[in-house]
Amino acid sequence: MIYVIVENLQGSIRKASIEAVSYAVALSEKLQKPLQGIALGPFKEGELQKLSQYGLEQLIHVTNEAYKDFSSINYTNAVAQVVKDPTVIVLPQGYDGRALAPRLSIRLQMPLLSGIHTLLEPYEQGYKAQRIAYSNKGIETVYTPSQKVIVTLKANSFVPQKKEASLNITTTEVAAATDKERVVGREQFSGKVPLTEANVVVSGGRGLKGPENWGMIEELAQLLGAATACSKPVADEGWRPHHEHVGQTGIQIAPNVYIAIGISGAIQHLAGVSASKNIIVINKDKDAPFFKNCDYGVVGDAFEVVPKLIEAIKRYKGLA
């Protein structure tokens, strides 16, 4: 049996979970093994039925309020009780997946292949797959001799495939394992696109010279339906909140489009955004390292380029 974990974002399905479900459906067809989804905690009415659009036919929904907030201990306990003779367990490679997968690996005595971006393939007595290595500079082939494996799927590495199905949802309750792990705070998203869920991200660096100039970043992001982000020095200076910091020591993201404005592109920053499908750089320094790692680049002063870009988008949308 193949299982796929559906992550809960305040009652909604995370974008990365749609990718994981589509991946699991393709893997189920390839390996000729049945597939079961697992969702934990309360979801909005009708939310889980959206998974039928991506080929999922069977889902176990653990409905306890105790699973409303992520807990690696409680989630491990619940999943371990729900799965029956698992062959493959698929999770998104997000913050929850990074915390949950190793615990499941130990609890279920199944090896873990993390951050893969290709479909598992049978190899000798086990499985193999590929993943990005060295900050997107190489591709690594990973292998396990075990016939059972847990995998975490790198964000934006598998394009969801629409495939209509009839989804049967079985509800159940599983007692929480412990109250020793508790939530002490929670980020609430209202009116803004969560950074880790955004398809488009507009990010600014020290080239913007100060927090007073961030209005054009926010305006551009609003026009594009994007999230806003920043480089580490900007967060360290207090120009922007730390939860917007993307990079090796900040949030790692993989949007479809990442627009970097006034960011030089140091290796630490690239480590957090290099998985983006399309990177657009605006910088007046033609020798900025980012230009060697982008898909499109504009050499120019951000204070001249960005306002013109905003005007062009407004004209295109009929807003000007």
Side-chain angles (χ1 to χ4, degrees), residues 171-233:
T171 60
T172 186
E173 291 195 359
V174 177
T178 179
D179 59 1
K180 293 180 181 178
E181 190 176 35
R182 62 190 180 89
V183 175
V184 295
R186 182 191 308 154
E187 285 190 10
Q188 296 285 351
F189 302 106
S190 177
K192 291 184 67 176
V193 182
L195 187 53
T196 55
E197 300 292 300
N199 286 317
V200 181
V201 173
V202 179
S203 187
R206 279 188 296 186
L208 290 174
K209 300 180 180 180
E212 66 277 5
N213 297 318
W214 228 263
M216 64 181 183
I217 298 293
E218 294 175 333
E219 185 177 5
L220 179 59
Q222 184 177 13
L223 286 169
L224 296 175
T228 55
C230 67
S231 61
K232 184 177 185 299

Side-chain angles (χ1 to χ4, degrees), residues 98-151:
R98 286 188 178 97
L100 180 56
R103 284 186 176 274
L104 284 176
S105 177
I106 294 171
R107 177 75 173 267
L108 301 174
Q109 291 296 287
M110 295 172 67
L112 169 62
L113 300 181
S114 61
I116 66 172
H117 69 276
T118 61
L119 274 178
L120 278 180
E121 294 182 21
Y123 180 71
E124 295 182 356
Q125 300 301 312
Y127 297 98
K128 70 175 181 179
Q130 291 184 331
R131 65 185 177 194
I132 301 298
Y134 302 110
S135 299
N136 252 21
K137 290 183 171 61
I139 296 176
E140 179 182 20
T141 298
V142 288
Y143 159 73
T144 174
S146 173
Q147 294 184 13
K148 296 186 175 185
V149 63
I150 296 172
V151 299

Side-chain angles (χ1 to χ4, degrees), residues 32-286:
Q32 293 296 295
K33 294 182 182 295
L35 172 63
Q36 184 97 51
I38 300 175
L40 302 172
F43 280 79
K44 297 174 184 176
E45 185 176 355
E47 182 72 8
L48 291 174
Q49 279 295 338
K50 294 178 181 178
L51 298 173
S52 65
Q53 302 172 28
Y54 300 93
L56 188 64
E57 297 179 349
Q58 298 291 330
L59 176 75
I60 299 172
H61 182 197
V62 180
T63 58
N64 305 48
E65 280 287 331
Y67 300 105
K68 180 179 179 180
D69 296 307
F70 176 77
S71 158
S72 59
I73 295 175
N74 285 335
Y75 273 43
T76 298
N77 175 70
V79 173
Q81 291 191 54
V82 167
V83 298
K84 307 296 182 186
D85 192 26
T87 301
V88 181
I89 300 178
V90 180
L91 302 88
Q93 172 79 351
Y95 289 102
D96 292 359
R98 286 188 178 97
L100 180 56
R103 284 186 176 274
L104 284 176
S105 177
I106 294 171
R107 177 75 173 267
L108 301 174
Q109 291 296 287
M110 295 172 67
L112 169 62
L113 300 181
S114 61
I116 66 172
H117 69 276
T118 61
L119 274 178
L120 278 180
E121 294 182 21
Y123 180 71
E124 295 182 356
Q125 300 301 312
Y127 297 98
K128 70 175 181 179
Q130 291 184 331
R131 65 185 177 194
I132 301 298
Y134 302 110
S135 299
N136 252 21
K137 290 183 171 61
I139 296 176
E140 179 182 20
T141 298
V142 288
Y143 159 73
T144 174
S146 173
Q147 294 184 13
K148 296 186 175 185
V149 63
I150 296 172
V151 299
T152 57
L153 179 67
K154 187 175 179 64
N156 252 349
S157 62
F158 194 86
V159 179
Q161 304 295 319
K162 286 291 185 78
K163 183 179 180 182
E164 291 293 338
S166 178
L167 177 59
N168 177 49
I169 300 177
T170 302
T171 60
T172 186
E173 291 195 359
V174 177
T178 179
D179 59 1
K180 293 180 181 178
E181 190 176 35
R182 62 190 180 89
V183 175
V184 295
R186 182 191 308 154
E187 285 190 10
Q188 296 285 351
F189 302 106
S190 177
K192 291 184 67 176
V193 182
L195 187 53
T196 55
E197 300 292 300
N199 286 317
V200 181
V201 173
V202 179
S203 187
R206 279 188 296 186
L208 290 174
K209 300 180 180 180
E212 66 277 5
N213 297 318
W214 228 263
M216 64 181 183
I217 298 293
E218 294 175 333
E219 185 177 5
L220 179 59
Q222 184 177 13
L223 286 169
L224 296 175
T228 55
C230 67
S231 61
K232 184 177 185 299
V234 166
D236 289 345
E237 289 288 339
W239 297 359
R240 298 299 291 177
H242 277 281
H243 68 256
E244 289 192 0
H245 163 211
V246 293
Q248 188 174 37
T249 57
I251 297 174
Q252 296 184 18
I253 58 174
N256 288 326
V257 179
Y258 180 71
I259 304 174
I261 302 172
I263 301 174
S264 63
I267 187 64
Q268 292 85 356
H269 187 79
L270 287 172
V273 304
S274 58
S276 305
K277 284 194 173 181
N278 295 283
I279 296 177
I280 301 170
V281 172
I282 300 173
N283 200 303
K284 66 180 181 181
D285 180 7
K286 63 181 177 59

Side-chain angles (χ1 to χ4, degrees), residues 265-319:
I267 187 64
Q268 292 85 356
H269 187 79
L270 287 172
V273 304
S274 58
S276 305
K277 284 194 173 181
N278 295 283
I279 296 177
I280 301 170
V281 172
I282 300 173
N283 200 303
K284 66 180 181 181
D285 180 7
K286 63 181 177 59
D287 297 319
F290 228 146
F291 284 120
K292 297 179 181 178
N293 297 276
C294 69
D295 298 283
Y296 305 95
V298 178
V299 178
D301 189 332
F303 296 100
E304 296 177 3
V305 174
V306 176
K308 290 180 179 179
L309 179 58
I310 289 172
E311 289 176 13
I313 293 173
K314 284 182 175 179
R315 286 197 300 271
Y316 177 79
K317 289 190 168 187
L319 300 174

Side-chain angles (χ1 to χ4, degrees), residues 18-47:
I18 299 293
E19 298 171 18
V21 166
S22 191
Y23 175 95
V25 169
L27 185 63
S28 172
E29 294 174 351
K30 180 176 182 177
L31 300 181
Q32 293 296 295
K33 294 182 182 295
L35 172 63
Q36 184 97 51
I38 300 175
L40 302 172
F43 280 79
K44 297 174 184 176
E45 185 176 355
E47 182 72 8

